[in-house]
């Protein structure tokens, strides 16, 4: 498995984020990139010399769940304050910075959680352009209680006299609130002040530039070797395939496994996009009968996933062995996967998440991994897909589980039940798209429940299936809220499903948030 550390792209201004464990650390990175500057998370204890070698234009110290007064609390190398690089500390990051520079941090008399009124006392550099009174999002139990010579107070709240500070001698800025969250209305302005007014960054992070650099890196890695890409039709694998086709052309072979658990016309969309439009070497393996055979009589969700995963590896392995001379396997590892794996910062996860369609294969087949998207967030992958010319139906496709419809057909998976679900799902998505709701929801799908309900159709009673509709809104898929689909749209979906899909007489809408519910039902 690859353990290559993420590195800043050459010729691009970079902000390093020392991640002290904040739930918002990835959000900080995304906000900075959205402003046009490349950013990456690193371990908080990386030596100052290593950070300097990465030539950052600035450093951000993230928040975190620890108290700086604890002996085991994570700390950074004090030498970073002597690098001459501007540093912005957020919440815990402010506290650790002030403490290292001689300040005092204590438990606050009144903890602040939620929106707080902020009074700006110095509207220069960091807070330039912000109104004198604004609201910010606070989440802290400790706060800076005393400052040494060299510090200046920039803003305060009713219970936090040092809500924003500056140390000119060390080019350190600290804010007790979170500018990266949407609950801080002018947080984006503050971050841009730091990036452009203080760090003097150029807005040089563009997808078109990244594409050319990524193609060059792929060519340098694979040389004249052959690369296999496990293509699922999802956003990540599709963007990887399109990028590799552009970079190495006929050295790429894409393998698409039809497991019989796909949505309506998914296989046709993949073939039309990659074989017809991109003229890729696409090999489609129809293994639907084998997958459905493995699932016969199985109702346990984990057993479904296990059998599907094992069968996929067998099918993909056989298909890959038919590609002569292949030494590389491409997969859609994204930056959040790298972060969660612990490669590149102090994460605790065991290893990089493999794309659901190629999991376990690098070790089994001895391939070297090609991961051209490992520096990107999901929204950046979509932007790259648009630059590559992928159809919007692929670029903006909602996430689809690796086991496919098998985990949306609750209970036993049969070809008959799959067909019922496909029809329901197709109607749902047609109406969501027709009402311009597809991009405002982040995942929308139908679930066939393992229960039957009494109904009345015409003059007779029915005893048919129940279908649940699930639609959620989320930023990171770690938490999610159910989408408030307009009643008239839900009414149309329900009416169409019951009237057009034989065997369904009841439709329900899932209004559970995550947590406690998960997004998928299985």
């Amino acid at each position: 498995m690859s353990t290559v550390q993420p590195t800043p792209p050459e010729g691009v201004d970079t902000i390093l984020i020392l991640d002290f464990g904040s739930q918002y650390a990835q959000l900080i990175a995304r906000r900075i990139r959205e402003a046009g500057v490349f950013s990456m998370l690193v371990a908080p204890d990386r030596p100052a010399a290593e950070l300097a070698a990465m030539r950052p234009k600035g450093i951000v110290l993230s928040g975190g769940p620890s108290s700086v007064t604890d002996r085991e609390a994570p700390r950074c190398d004090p030498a970073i304050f002597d690098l001459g690089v501007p540093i912005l500390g957020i919440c815990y990051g402010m506290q650790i910075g002030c403490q290292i520079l001689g300040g005092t941090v204590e438990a606050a008399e009144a903890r602040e959680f939620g929106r707080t009124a902020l009074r700006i006392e110095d509207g220069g550099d960091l807070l330039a352009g912000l109104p004198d009174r604004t609201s910010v999002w606070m989440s802290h139990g400790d706060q800076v209680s005393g400052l040494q010579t060299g510090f200046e107070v920039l803003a305060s709240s009713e219970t936090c006299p040092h809500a924003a500070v500056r140390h000119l001698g060390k080019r350190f800025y600290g804010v007790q609130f979170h500018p990266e969250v949407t609950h801080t209305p002018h947080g984006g302005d503050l971050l841009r002040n730091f990036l452009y007014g203080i760090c003097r960054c150029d807005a040089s992070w563009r997808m078109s530039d990244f594409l050319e650099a990524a193609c060059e890196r792929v060519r340098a890695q694979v040389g004249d070797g052959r690369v296999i890409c496990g293509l699922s039709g999802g956003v990540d694998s599709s963007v990887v395939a399109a990028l590799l086709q552009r970079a190495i052309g006929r050295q790429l072979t894409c393998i698409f496994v039809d497991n019989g658990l796909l949505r309506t016309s998914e296989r046709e969309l993949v073939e039309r996009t990659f074989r017809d439009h991109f003229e890729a070497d696409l090999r489609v393996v129809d293994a639907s009968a084998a997958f459905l055979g493995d699932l016969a009589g199985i109702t346990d969700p984990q057993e479904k996933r296990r059998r599907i995963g094992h069968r996929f590896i067998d099918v993909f392995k056989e298909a890959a062995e038919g590609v002569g001379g292949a030494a590389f396997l491409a997969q859609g590892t994204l930056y959040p996967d790298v972060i969660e794996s612990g490669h590149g910062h102090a994460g605790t996860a065991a290893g990089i998440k493999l794309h659901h369609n190629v999991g376990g294969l690098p070790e089994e087949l001895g391939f070297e991994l090609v991961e051209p998207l490992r520096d990107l967030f999901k929204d950046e992958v979509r932007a790259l897909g648009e630059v590559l010319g992928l159809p919007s139906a692929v670029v903006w496709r909602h996430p689809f589980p690796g086991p496919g419809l098998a985990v949306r057909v609750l209970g036993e998976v049969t070809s008959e039940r799959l067909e019922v679900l496909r029809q329901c799902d197709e109607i749902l998505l047609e109406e969501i798209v027709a009402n311009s709701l597809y991009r405002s929801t982040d995942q929308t799908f139908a679930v066939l429940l393992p229960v039957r309900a009494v109904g009345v159709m015409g003059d007779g009673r029915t005893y048919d299936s129940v279908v649940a509709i699930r639609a959620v809104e989320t930023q990171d898929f770690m938490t999610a809220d159910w989408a408030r689909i307009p009643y008239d749209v839900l009414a149309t979906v329900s009416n169409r499903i019951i009237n057009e899909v034989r065997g369904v007489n009841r439709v329900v809408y899932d209004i559970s948030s995550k947590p406690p519910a998960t997004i998928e039902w299985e």
Side-chain angles (χ1 to χ4, degrees):
M1 184 178 295
S2 172
T3 58
V4 177
Q5 300 286 342
T7 57
E10 292 186 12
V12 175
D13 287 346
T14 299
I15 299 293
L16 299 180
I17 303 165
L18 274 58
D19 180 8
F20 289 96
S22 171
Q23 61 180 316
Y24 303 128
Q26 290 191 34
L27 189 55
I28 298 171
R30 289 183 62 183
R31 292 289 180 260
I32 292 173
R33 291 192 186 186
E34 287 168 1
V37 179
F38 183 75
S39 63
M40 55 184 291
L41 281 79
V42 297
D45 57 354
R46 289 279 288 271
E50 291 186 13
L51 300 180
M54 301 169 79
R55 303 181 67 180
K57 294 286 284 189
I59 295 173
V60 174
L61 310 181
S62 84
S66 302
S67 169
V68 298
T69 60
D70 294 341
R71 293 182 60 184
E72 301 300 320
R75 302 184 66 80
C76 57
D77 184 348
I80 67 171
F81 296 95
D82 297 320
L83 295 178
V85 174
I87 299 174
L88 172 63
I90 297 175
C91 197
Y92 180 92
M94 170 189 176
Q95 296 165 12
I96 195 72
C98 289
Q99 186 184 67
I100 289 173
L101 296 175
T104 305
V105 179
E106 297 176 333
E109 291 185 10
R111 299 186 299 173
E112 290 181 302
F113 294 97
R115 277 199 175 91
T116 302
L118 186 75
R119 298 186 301 272
I120 294 179
E121 301 170 21
D122 185 334
D125 53 19
L126 185 67
L127 304 179
L130 273 67
D132 294 340
R133 298 288 187 272
T134 186
S135 63
V136 295
W137 186 262
M138 292 276 198
S139 180
H140 67 99
D142 295 345
Q143 65 184 32
V144 176
S145 57
L147 295 171
Q148 292 292 312
T149 302
F151 274 101
E152 299 174 328
V153 176
L154 305 181
S156 60
S157 72
E158 185 175 348
T159 59
C160 183
H162 307 128
V165 301
R166 169 178 57 206
H167 191 297
L168 287 178
K170 296 296 184 181
R171 303 189 73 188
F172 172 72
Y173 298 79
V175 293
Q176 187 57 69
F177 52 90
H178 289 274
E180 69 274 23
V181 302
T182 55
H183 301 303
T184 299
H186 294 281
D189 298 326
L190 184 152
L191 290 174
R192 283 188 289 272
N193 286 340
F194 179 71
L195 297 174
Y196 298 113
I198 296 171
C199 297
R200 303 295 180 185
C201 292
D202 293 325
S204 53
W205 177 239
R206 299 181 183 89
M207 276 301 109
S208 56
D209 296 332
F210 173 86
L211 172 59
E212 296 309 317
C215 288
E216 287 300 323
R217 285 196 297 271
V218 168
R219 295 183 192 113
Q221 179 184 1
V222 307
D224 59 359
R226 177 158 289 280
V227 181
I228 292 176
C229 177
L231 183 57
S232 71
V235 179
D236 303 339
S237 70
S238 296
V239 172
V240 168
L243 187 153
L244 292 177
Q245 181 67 18
R246 177 168 178 151
I248 58 175
R250 287 298 176 181
Q251 293 171 240
L252 172 69
T253 295
C254 295
I255 296 176
F256 178 83
V257 176
D258 183 349
N259 57 14
L261 305 169
L262 306 174
R263 283 173 164 170
T264 302
S265 302
E266 273 194 285
R267 173 172 166 177
E268 291 79 2
L269 176 61
V270 169
E271 290 185 298
R272 187 168 62 250
T273 300
F274 289 94
R275 182 174 289 154
D276 300 342
H277 179 68
F278 286 100
E279 298 182 346
D281 178 15
L282 173 63
R283 306 189 184 186
V284 176
V285 181
D286 188 344
S288 53
F291 279 92
L292 289 177
D294 292 339
L295 294 171
I298 304 302
T299 60
D300 179 72
Q302 293 308 313
E303 182 63 17
K304 288 182 186 179
R305 291 177 179 272
R306 189 190 69 81
R307 291 187 176 217
I308 291 169
H310 280 229
R311 174 62 65 178
F312 181 86
I313 288 178
D314 290 342
V315 172
F316 192 94
K317 184 177 179 179
E318 182 178 352
E321 288 172 347
V323 181
F328 299 91
L329 180 68
Q331 66 179 32
T333 304
L334 304 189
Y335 193 39
D337 303 331
V338 177
I339 293 169
E340 290 170 13
S341 76
H343 297 284
H345 82 99
T348 58
I352 292 177
K353 294 178 181 175
L354 296 178
H355 187 280
H356 64 251
N357 274 356
V358 294
L361 285 168
E363 292 88 346
E364 289 208 7
L365 299 180
F367 286 137
E368 180 180 335
L369 289 182
V370 178
E371 301 171 309
L373 308 184
R374 59 181 289 119
D375 288 334
L376 301 183
F377 287 103
K378 188 75 170 191
D379 53 333
E380 294 173 317
V381 173
R382 295 190 193 278
L384 180 59
E386 290 185 323
V387 172
L388 283 162
L390 282 166
S392 59
V394 174
V395 172
W396 293 100
R397 185 177 190 259
H398 286 182
F400 190 65
L405 297 180
V407 292
R408 294 179 180 173
V409 171
L410 274 58
E412 184 179 7
V413 179
T414 65
S415 57
E416 294 77 16
R417 299 190 75 210
L418 283 168
E419 184 55 32
V420 168
L421 180 58
R422 285 193 185 98
Q423 293 179 46
C424 296
D425 201 61
E426 187 173 14
I427 290 170
L428 170 62
L429 293 179
E430 281 179 1
E431 294 300 329
I432 291 295
V433 170
N435 287 276
S436 301
L437 294 170
Y438 193 78
R439 292 201 191 182
S440 62
T441 57
D442 296 291
Q443 200 162 350
T444 303
F445 56 92
V447 180
L448 183 62
L449 305 186
V451 295
R452 292 186 179 273
V454 175
V456 177
M457 289 188 177
D459 295 325
R461 292 168 65 84
T462 61
Y463 192 58
D464 285 330
S465 297
V466 180
V467 168
I469 295 171
R470 180 75 158 142
V472 299
E473 298 172 355
T474 179
Q475 285 193 334
D476 53 17
F477 290 91
M478 297 177 67
T479 62
D481 194 15
W482 59 279
R484 272 61 172 177
I485 302 296
Y487 291 155
D488 59 337
V489 177
L490 291 175
T492 300
V493 171
S494 176
N495 186 63
R496 285 194 59 193
I497 287 176
I498 291 172
N499 282 282
E500 297 177 30
V501 181
R502 185 176 298 276
V504 176
N505 67 0
R506 192 176 298 265
V507 175
V508 298
Y509 188 50
D510 182 350
I511 58 170
S512 310
S513 296
K514 176 186 178 181
T518 55
I519 295 176
E520 296 287 346
W521 278 51
E522 284 191 344

